[in-house]
Amino acid sequence: MSNERSAETPIVEVRNLLKFFPITSNSIFARAKGDNKAVNGISFALQPGETLGLVGESGCGKSTAGRTLLKLYEPTSGQIFFKGEEITNYSPRKMKALRTKMQIIFQDPYSSLNPRHSIGEIIGAAFAIHGMGVGADSQSSRSNSGKGGIKRAVQDLMERVGLNPEHYNRYPHEFSGGQRQRIGIARALALKPEFIVCDEPVSALDVSIQAQVINLLDDLKDDFGLSYLFIAHDLSVVQHISDRVAVMYLGKIVEIAPTEEIYQRPHHPYTKALLSAIPIPDPVLESAREQIVLSGDLPSPSNPPTGCVFNTRCWKAQARCFSEEPLLHVVGKSEVACHFPE
Amino acid sequence: MSFLDVNDLRVEFPTSDGVVRAVDGVSFSVDRGETLAIVGESGSGKTVTNLALMGLLSPRASRISGSAIMHQPSGDVELINLPSEQARKIRGKNIAMIFQDPMSSLHPYYSIGDQIIEAHQIHNEVEHEVSKARAIELLEMVGIPEAATRMRAYPHQFSGGMRQRVMIAMALVNSPELLIADEPTTALDVTVQAQILKLLRELQRDLKMAIILITHDLGVVAGAADRVNVMYAGKVVESAPVRELYANPLMPYTHGLLSSVPRMDRSHGTRLSAIAGQPPSLIALPPGCAFAPRCTFSTRVNGGPSLCASTMPPLVEHAPSHFARCHLEGAKL
């Protein structure tokens, strides 16, 4: 029985995850003035081989959610599971061993690469840190034994992500933003992880390259049985790569549904507005359709609205939306946190 | 009538590895009230083209040739290699620019009010109070609530979308005739992008200014542009009115770009048709068509792939005001 269940064990699961960042005053006797409630109670499970898209505007907590579940940030409360094992309170040492299995591709290819290291060093660092390729660990040395082995492995990776392997000794500043993002992807792939948090991995890339990378991520997923948490603000990209999509707003998941469903039948008003804001690359369709242009910005996550978090920008908000917080409930094939779903 | 005529613009950067031909013989014109989109991948020369027009390239690091005539009631002005003293008078006055990253293009130590006032004071010999009133007017125009109070705020106190609005307000403070918007919404969220694009459309309608919109986002182009120039490896490879370009792309690169965009109105799970390979190095450009190594249509060319590899096709008008640079017979894809 337990063996059967293990096949269905989610690769990653979070339960009621909270991540608050304290806001302190400038005084030297810094006292917390409040909390930036970046992630305010989210739960989801990711099955092996599945891609969950996590979308929302900047400041909605999607990146924080991704980093917290990798324990790059200590969660404020809640539980994190990796392959059924709770890792919420893992020590840094235990986490380090686990990090070969869980990787991240960062959003900003400028600040995530050390400008003083050649890209060979940057990508090869993963092997060095985890003792691979120095011959010390017979199991992991594989074909990477010795410096030449690492170089060859790194160059294979570079080629795989669309970089010229001859650029092994170049420095990050010699690459375009798009190419730098590929370096970051190569680095994440180096240790053949099982789960990757892709934090806006293609938003810095050109369309033709973006398509290559989406296809590449797709291929790698199939070849290595990877699972992705794919964080992005671009819903058309997410649509292509995800099996399910979760929409975040102000630290909460407001809608989670299979991809087809969320694009064809969005139930939450925010999801609807988000979808309508995406420009369609067709001038005829684009001028014909009606756009919902939301007014205003995201409210401050340190002081989220009471009731529904979206009530300040929602055109359907009624008295109940200001007094009672809607919880995720099943509507059709989706789960929606709205009192008046579409 | 056209506001700006660019003719055979070339920008070269000598480097220790060789000469980078960032812009290689680009010609176009922009009419008043028109939005010209320049689309291309990173390194295609779209930004450098406009930096050259604005006189923002260091003469020590770059070699610029060709011409860019700005038509003024007082006479034509040649923008290329204009002495910096004169370029400064045009920059921010006749031609203004907004950049992709509103955080790094605003000064973090000055209040946004002071920065907008400064932009006005440089070009107008008026009292500080006049500039201040103008700054508040602009902030209101771009939709910043409580503009008079927010004048004292600093860039870090604004969200990305609000910062971009401040950038737009600053660019428009002297009522420019041409606004160069270099990836103005790339750093923004889609809902905010929709707000900013709507704002730019409304401002253009009210102020009758020309806009050069530099972007890689074909979705943004579809909704915002009148005319599109597609750039590749420093050259304009296709130029057409926006609807014509999307309905009937003639250059294989444009065709590839359009089909590689993930689209929401198509079913999910379909594989994107990516363009194989990478853009060529601008140092060692092949003698022929720069796109030939990545092109899947070159086998159908009369004369075969060898023609594409050896001879650069000219920019030919295949349909009314639809230009493309391709050897393919009648450019039928």
Side-chain angles (χ1 to χ4, degrees):
Chain A
M1 188 65 196
S2 65
N3 278 346
E4 275 176 43
R5 274 195 58 79
S6 72
E8 294 168 355
T9 305
I11 184 138
V12 171
E13 187 179 358
V14 296
R15 290 185 199 153
N16 202 22
L17 188 70
L18 265 75
K19 177 62 195 172
F20 291 180
F21 295 99
I23 304 167
T24 52
S25 57
N26 283 332
S27 135
I28 52 164
F29 305 107
R31 297 231 315 264
K33 286 195 297 190
D35 286 309
N36 185 337
K37 300 175 176 106
V39 176
N40 201 356
I42 62 169
S43 305
F44 60 81
L46 189 67
Q47 302 302 325
E50 191 188 30
T51 299
L52 176 68
L54 192 58
V55 297
E57 293 179 280
S58 39
C60 74
K62 57 191 191 301
S63 291
T64 306
R67 289 176 189 200
T68 309
L69 78 84
L70 290 180
K71 296 238 305 155
L72 295 177
Y73 296 143
E74 276 305 311
T76 305
S77 72
Q79 290 174 295
I80 308 165
F81 298 86
F82 183 72
K83 292 172 132 180
E85 196 176 332
E86 184 167 357
I87 61 164
T88 324
N89 297 312
Y90 261 30
S91 64
R93 180 193 287 267
K94 275 180 103 173
M95 271 316 292
K96 185 185 163 187
L98 203 57
R99 292 208 189 284
T100 60
K101 303 279 171 239
M102 313 168 82
Q103 281 292 322
I104 182 165
I105 300 166
F106 289 102
Q107 177 172 4
D108 181 355
Y110 291 83
S111 58
S112 57
L113 301 177
N114 188 332
R116 291 170 188 274
H117 287 184
S118 74
I119 76 158
E121 289 169 331
I122 288 170
I123 301 170
F127 298 115
I129 288 168
H130 290 281
M132 296 181 183
V134 289
D137 185 341
S138 61
Q139 194 235 322
S140 53
S141 58
R142 283 177 288 195
S143 61
N144 304 333
S145 51
K147 192 86 178 144
I150 287 186
K151 183 170 179 179
R152 200 168 57 246
V154 169
Q155 289 188 327
D156 286 348
L157 280 165
M158 287 172 67
E159 191 140 35
R160 187 85 213 237
V161 297
L163 292 165
N164 186 344
E166 287 164 27
H167 295 166
Y168 182 83
N169 286 318
R170 293 200 179 181
Y171 288 84
H173 74 267
E174 297 175 79
F175 294 87
S176 70
Q179 288 170 317
R180 285 184 214 210
Q181 195 60 298
R182 289 163 177 265
I183 300 169
I185 292 170
R187 175 173 61 184
L189 294 174
L191 298 173
K192 306 214 164 81
E194 294 174 41
F195 168 66
I196 302 183
V197 172
C198 307
D199 191 352
E200 305 260 14
V202 296
S203 46
L205 306 185
D206 287 310
V207 262
S208 81
I209 307 297
Q210 192 178 41
Q212 291 177 4
V213 173
I214 294 170
N215 288 343
L216 173 73
L217 288 171
D218 240 2
D219 291 345
L220 292 165
K221 184 186 150 187
D222 295 342
D223 293 354
F224 299 100
L226 290 168
S227 310
Y228 295 134
L229 180 68
F230 197 93
I231 301 168
H233 66 274
D234 186 336
L235 283 104
S236 39
V237 169
V238 173
Q239 182 207 21
H240 260 273
I241 196 144
S242 305
D243 302 306
R244 280 187 306 147
V245 175
V247 180
M248 269 187 92
Y249 189 80
L250 268 191
K252 293 190 182 292
I253 290 177
V254 295
E255 183 161 3
I256 182 164
T259 306
E260 288 279 323
E261 191 67 14
I262 212 154
Y263 287 89
Q264 278 166 20
R265 275 174 295 278
H267 294 295
H268 198 283
Y270 179 63
T271 314
K272 222 179 155 188
L274 204 55
L275 289 172
S276 100
I278 299 162
I280 295 176
D282 183 326
V284 183
L285 290 177
E286 181 65 21
S287 62
R289 77 185 179 135
E290 207 176 318
Q291 256 193 352
I292 306 169
V293 176
L294 285 178
S295 58
D297 285 324
L298 216 60
S300 162
S302 60
N303 185 20
T306 49
C308 173
V309 284
F310 188 54
N311 63 23
T312 55
R313 298 169 82 187
C314 185
W315 62 97
K316 294 175 76 183
Q318 296 175 30
R320 188 180 171 201
C321 304
F322 292 89
S323 59
E324 185 189 336
E325 186 190 331
L327 300 173
L328 277 179
H329 60 277
V330 175
V331 178
K333 291 178 191 164
S334 314
E335 284 180 73
V336 189
C338 180
H339 291 309
F340 306 100
E342 304 271 323
Chain B
M1 75 164 268
S2 69
F3 167 73
L4 182 72
D5 282 308
V6 178
N7 198 9
D8 200 28
L9 181 68
R10 288 167 198 276
V11 182
E12 295 179 346
F13 299 103
T15 69
S16 53
D17 296 330
V19 175
V20 175
R21 292 203 169 77
V23 179
D24 197 7
V26 164
S27 306
F28 62 86
S29 57
V30 195
D31 292 346
R32 289 172 202 275
E34 179 193 47
T35 299
L36 172 75
I38 302 183
V39 188
E41 298 184 274
S42 4
S44 63
K46 53 194 195 304
T47 296
V48 173
T49 300
N50 290 285
L51 290 178
L53 296 181
M54 292 286 279
L56 289 173
L57 293 172
S58 155
R60 260 168 304 182
S62 60
R63 286 199 297 263
I64 309 174
S65 66
S67 101
I69 307 285
M70 180 176 75
H71 301 291
Q72 289 290 301
S74 54
D76 291 352
V77 183
E78 171 61 71
L79 296 176
I80 300 304
N81 294 324
L82 198 64
S84 59
E85 194 69 11
Q86 287 169 39
R88 219 172 296 150
K89 288 196 177 120
I90 290 167
R91 215 158 42 215
K93 172 119 187 87
N94 304 93
I95 306 178
M97 194 160 181
I98 52 176
F99 298 90
Q100 173 173 355
D101 181 358
M103 190 68 238
S104 55
S105 11
L106 289 169
H107 198 299
Y109 288 0
Y110 292 94
S111 72
I112 59 138
D114 284 348
Q115 296 186 54
I116 301 174
I117 290 169
E118 187 193 8
H120 192 250
Q121 289 268 303
I122 284 170
H123 293 288
N124 298 279
E125 286 180 16
V126 292
E127 294 290 320
H128 188 269
E129 285 305 310
V130 178
S131 296
K132 188 178 172 189
R134 175 75 181 149
I136 294 172
E137 183 192 337
L138 259 300
L139 285 179
E140 278 167 356
M141 191 155 89
V142 298
I144 292 190
E146 297 168 58
T149 326
R150 300 309 292 274
M151 288 275 285
R152 287 195 294 274
Y154 290 85
H156 73 270
Q157 295 171 300
F158 286 83
S159 67
M162 290 304 245
R163 271 184 226 138
Q164 197 57 285
R165 284 170 193 265
V166 171
M167 282 293 298
I168 293 172
M170 196 187 301
L172 298 185
V173 76
N174 296 307
S175 312
E177 295 156 278
L178 170 65
L179 178 70
I180 298 176
D182 191 349
E183 306 263 11
T185 59
T186 307
L188 306 178
D189 287 307
V190 273
T191 60
V192 181
Q193 168 172 280
Q195 292 172 3
I196 296 290
L197 290 174
K198 184 165 170 261
L199 173 70
L200 282 175
R201 269 198 298 275
E202 288 165 359
L203 290 171
Q204 182 180 37
R205 192 191 55 215
D206 297 345
L207 306 173
K208 309 262 179 302
M209 62 182 172
I211 295 181
I212 295 180
L213 177 70
I214 305 171
T215 181
H216 65 277
D217 189 331
L218 291 155
V220 168
V221 172
D226 299 309
R227 200 179 163 78
V228 187
N229 279 358
V230 182
M231 282 190 75
Y232 190 77
K235 282 189 159 63
V236 174
V237 294
E238 184 157 6
S239 173
V242 65
R243 288 190 178 212
E244 166 74 10
L245 185 88
Y246 282 75
N248 190 23
L250 295 181
M251 161 79 193
Y253 175 62
T254 316
H255 183 263
L257 266 189
L258 285 171
S259 41
S260 60
V261 189
R263 289 178 62 156
M264 290 223 318
D265 52 334
R266 304 241 174 98
S267 68
H268 103 105
T270 50
R271 201 173 167 77
L272 292 170
S273 56
I275 304 174
Q278 295 180 54
S281 157
L282 297 174
I283 291 175
L285 277 177
C289 174
F291 187 62
R294 301 172 78 187
C295 186
T296 49
F297 291 91
S298 58
T299 48
R300 282 170 39 194
V301 167
N302 249 350
S306 60
L307 177 68
C308 297
S310 63
T311 317
M312 169 58 80
L315 197 61
V316 175
E317 186 165 12
H318 291 278
S321 63
H322 188 162
F323 299 82
R325 204 183 269 282
C326 187
H327 284 304
L328 209 57
E329 192 60 41
K332 279 277 165 276
L333 294 186

